[in-house]
Amino acid sequence: MKPILRIALLLILLGACTTHVTHNGADSTGSDRGDTLSLTARAWIMRDSGACASEFLAVQQMAVDQLRRGESPDPAVAVLDQMGLFSYVVGDFVSAADYYREAIDSLSVIPFNERPEEAIQLFGDISLLYSEIGMTDEAVAYSDSAIAQSICLNGRLLPDVYRFRSDVLLQAGDTAGALQCFSLALDAIDKYPTMIDKDTLRRLVECGKASMMLCDDNINPADLQWAVSTLERSRDFDWNDASPQLYHLGLGYVRQGHVARGISLMEQSVRELAARDDLDALHSAMTGLMDVYACNGMGDKIAGLYPRYMALNDSLLSIKKAHFIIGARIRHNAEIHANNNRLLGRQLMFERRARTRTLAMVMLLVLTFVMGSLLFSRQYREVRKVSRKKDSRITKLTHAHNELSNQVKTLRSNINGNMYGNSRVLAEPHHLDGEEQGKFRRAFVSLYPHFIEALKNRFPALTPNDELLCMLIYLKHTTAEITVFLGISHTSVNTARYRLRQKLNLTKEQTLDDYLAKITPPHLGR
């Protein structure tokens, strides 16, 4: 009976999400906001209002295109997560996984404790996708990430996260763990702020827990009475689809001995699920109903339902095979993505090692030159001193002159060497992490001593990462080169540029490159 229980849990989740807010926090009515809504919020409202999939997918694709141009008003993770969710809803699991992976990449540049609320939703959505296609370990791992992120954000969405997790554990066969999630969700409702009314949310969680308890053949009488009473009280609730609740309430009546009343509700649930064409839930409901028929000697009922049941069973087997193939493809794509990241990391490591070896050789040559120059200078002074003994005054003056000349040569050589080294550090794309970033900053300040001073005077709230991006743009590095310097994707660079434009309060007419090129400290003028 797990499929129909999963459907019941998902409908409970949907009921919570659409009671007051949308997936990304937009008002679900949106009737008086018009064109002020972003494309992402507009697409969610279209989907929530019953628009056809092609329409809200087209609007969300426009939001993704806008994001990749660096023009989106929404966080990258919100836009990409919603596109992944829509792809999941219409059954395009491979595209959903690709968009989720891109959303994860956009999060990688944001510190864990600074990530937005959408990160919680992303991890929860990924866990449901992986659970659907049988990637149980990955689903549980992302559910763990959602819980950790929620706790970091003061329990934001934590009751919903635990309810999502109950579905993941149920799919994995861990019924006890799934029930425990409902208890944790109820605790979270009491402890943390919630997006909807606490009593309503508590009622939703209790209905989910009651439905799951009624699937246990060994339920004790007290729990049975509580579960049935809970579902009876929920019949006046505004459900998106009450069919799963009817099924479980009917099952509860059967377990209490009210067989005719229970079978009537279960048959009604089967008819409604058939009308909705919900194959998983319908198959589960038929299985439970035929079990009840068998236990009560209703062979004619079983005979009438069996042909439909077998045809449905064949359809579900085909769907499961397709899901297995999709899961294998998603795993393969994930492995390719991970391998590409590893190869890029190795390439950057080899480049760092090559630069280190080159720098060591240059330093050795410079040291040899300096030592040779000092030795030659000493010998030369001694020869000159012996040869000019008779004229001590002239010898002293000549000696001083030669010494100063040699010092000037040495200083010029060192200055030229340092300027060349600094220019190379700033010009050659390489991953800036740890010591490499420190070298880069020192080289930049050495060649452009006033830029950072002017930038901090105007925008003291900029983070070190913002300053680093400003330096790279000031040096006229391309987006491709910046992806190497920062070790992030092309999309993440565009997102970072967009956030920087907001922090600098630039108008649409101002370009980021031109604005940074004109940065000067106040005492030097514009």
Side-chain angles (χ1 to χ4, degrees), residues 159 183-194 198-199 201-202:
S183 299
L184 294 172
L186 291 170
D187 292 341
I189 292 171
D190 295 331
K191 185 175 181 181
Y192 298 107
T194 58
K198 286 181 178 287
D199 290 337
L201 188 55
R202 188 177 292 106

Side-chain angles (χ1 to χ4, degrees), residues 4 11 235 239-247 264-279 281-282 285-286 308:
I4 195 169
L11 288 172
R235 294 196 67 177
W239 297 99
N240 289 286
D241 176 21
S243 304
Q245 281 69 38
L246 282 178
Y247 172 84
S264 175
L265 288 181
M266 294 175 76
E267 289 175 338
Q268 180 183 346
S269 173
V270 167
R271 288 192 298 272
E272 292 179 359
L273 290 171
R276 287 180 53 239
D277 201 26
D278 191 334
L279 302 186
L282 179 59
M286 282 185 174
R308 289 174 56 200

